[in-house]
Amino acid sequence: PSSDCVVAEQLCLSDSTCNATYRTLENCALAKTRLLSLDHDSRVRCLNAELDLGNSSLLNCKCHRRMKRQEHCLRIFWTIHSSMTDAENHCESPLPSTVEHWKTDYNKLAALVSGKICNKLAGDVTNPCLKATHVCNLSKKCFRLRTDYASICTKGAGSEDVCDRRKCHRGLRNFFEKVPEDFTKRILFCPCQDEFCGERRRKTIVPDCSFQYNTKPNCLWLLDSCLEDHICKSRLADFQQNCQPVDMSPDGCSLHNHAACLQAYMGMIGTPMTPNYISNSSVEVSLWCTCENSGNQKEKCDHILGMFESNKCL
């Protein structure tokens, strides 16, 4: 198994040569985070430092989902790979795929969304999303963490105050990371056939705070906000890797693993690039952003938006 980046960092810091190389990379990553332009010699020094870690356990380390000190681990990962953080040139995801147990569940989920067994699931309840909420409420942990993020994300709603989006996102991440996926998948992917059900499903992510702004920002601004955040940057790389659409593929997905794509999609919730359903009557999702006024970066902007809006794999 891939080594833990936190453990790998400790091993590196105990070796004088590796320690010096790592400190150089920390300065490189810091300069990039602060958008400081490096001269030619500095860029060469940064690239050489990355190459010098070739024999270090740091180079291939990973950060596992739901691990403690995840943010610290991801900071280490992006310090090592500081030269490869652009959207078009993203490196391998720092989060190894662990979705074997999803495969059977995914087939059931696909059937639910297509409506094949919707009536069996619903029983006497006409709103499957309402039923999913009731199921969550039966679990103390699910109920507590769902209540936590809902209360944070609805503060300031309907007033002049702006909600605390950062805290709202943290609450959402806590819910989707700490609650068993049997509960979170039911709530996020519940099948809907009417507006009331669709509205409840869309409100799961509390769009007024976590998803929407007063005016739609440019998608490139959302991307920049994401790349400045270790968690979002990591999950975007994971999403790009696992939800890579390919027109020539029978199912439209390069890895042929829709379960991994769905898990990566869930990982984007609670980040600056939080996606959501775009209406109450469809399963189409998008980011809350626009590509108007993108100038000569219109193609790049369309690509970012298209990863969610027209992604056959997703």
Side-chain angles (χ1 to χ4, degrees), residues 52-299:
D52 287 343
L53 283 179
N55 294 323
S56 166
S57 57
L58 274 168
L59 192 62
N60 297 310
C61 72
K62 295 282 186 178
C63 301
H64 302 278
R65 289 178 173 86
R66 301 182 179 224
M67 70 180 290
K68 292 182 178 179
R69 302 183 69 191
Q70 186 186 95
E71 194 164 357
H72 175 66
C73 185
L74 294 173
R75 180 189 63 76
I76 297 168
F77 180 91
W78 291 113
T79 294
I80 302 158
H81 300 283
S82 58
S83 66
M84 300 180 67
T85 56
D86 296 326
E88 295 90 352
N89 189 32
H90 66 277
C91 64
E92 183 183 355
S93 167
L95 304 170
S97 182
T98 55
V99 293
E100 288 300 314
H101 63 287
W102 266 59
K103 289 185 178 176
T104 303
D105 290 344
Y106 175 77
N107 292 331
K108 293 178 184 176
L109 180 62
L112 289 175
V113 172
S114 66
K116 290 177 183 175
I117 56 174
C118 182
N119 293 330
K120 287 184 181 179
L121 172 76
D124 296 330
V125 180
T126 57
N127 187 336
C129 290
L130 187 60
K131 180 173 182 178
T133 303
H134 291 328
V135 170
C136 172
N137 291 344
L138 295 175
S139 161
K140 288 183 179 179
K141 189 172 190 177
C142 189
F143 175 74
R144 176 173 57 82
L145 289 175
R146 181 175 170 274
T147 302
D148 283 351
Y149 86 72
S151 62
I152 294 169
C153 297
T154 53
K155 280 182 181 177
S159 69
E160 295 298 317
D161 298 327
V162 178
C163 74
D164 192 328
R165 185 168 282 111
R166 185 180 290 273
K167 284 187 177 179
C168 176
H169 282 167
R170 189 185 306 128
L172 277 167
R173 291 200 307 272
N174 275 337
F175 176 74
F176 284 101
E177 287 175 10
K178 296 179 180 179
V179 174
E181 288 169 346
D182 281 347
F183 293 107
T184 56
K185 284 186 295 180
R186 283 173 187 262
I187 288 177
L188 189 60
F189 300 122
C190 49
C192 284
Q193 296 178 333
D194 62 64
E195 290 274 326
F196 183 68
C197 176
E199 176 69 4
R200 172 168 282 274
R201 181 175 61 187
R202 218 172 76 81
K203 289 290 181 69
T204 291
I205 306 177
V206 199
D208 289 346
C209 183
S210 69
F211 175 69
Q212 296 176 352
Y213 295 78
N214 291 332
T215 57
K216 279 190 176 183
N218 188 280
C219 298
L220 295 174
W221 178 83
L222 274 191
L223 175 64
D224 288 341
S225 299
C226 181
L227 295 181
E228 291 172 5
D229 180 281
H230 291 306
I231 291 177
C232 186
K233 180 165 53 176
S234 303
R235 297 185 179 190
L236 178 60
D238 192 47
F239 179 78
Q240 288 175 308
Q241 179 174 300
N242 289 296
C243 298
Q244 185 65 43
V246 177
D247 291 334
M248 300 298 290
S249 174
D251 63 357
C253 193
S254 63
L255 296 183
H256 307 291
N257 191 343
H258 295 275
C261 180
L262 281 181
Q263 188 177 54
Y265 169 81
M266 289 176 69
M268 295 302 300
I269 297 170
T271 72
M273 289 182 72
T274 294
N276 200 357
Y277 295 98
I278 59 175
S279 76
N280 298 333
S281 55
S282 77
V283 291
E284 295 177 26
V285 298
S286 182
L287 299 173
W288 183 261
C289 63
T290 178
C291 284
E292 293 179 9
N293 304 316
S294 295
N296 59 4
Q297 291 190 299
K298 178 73 162 58
E299 187 175 346

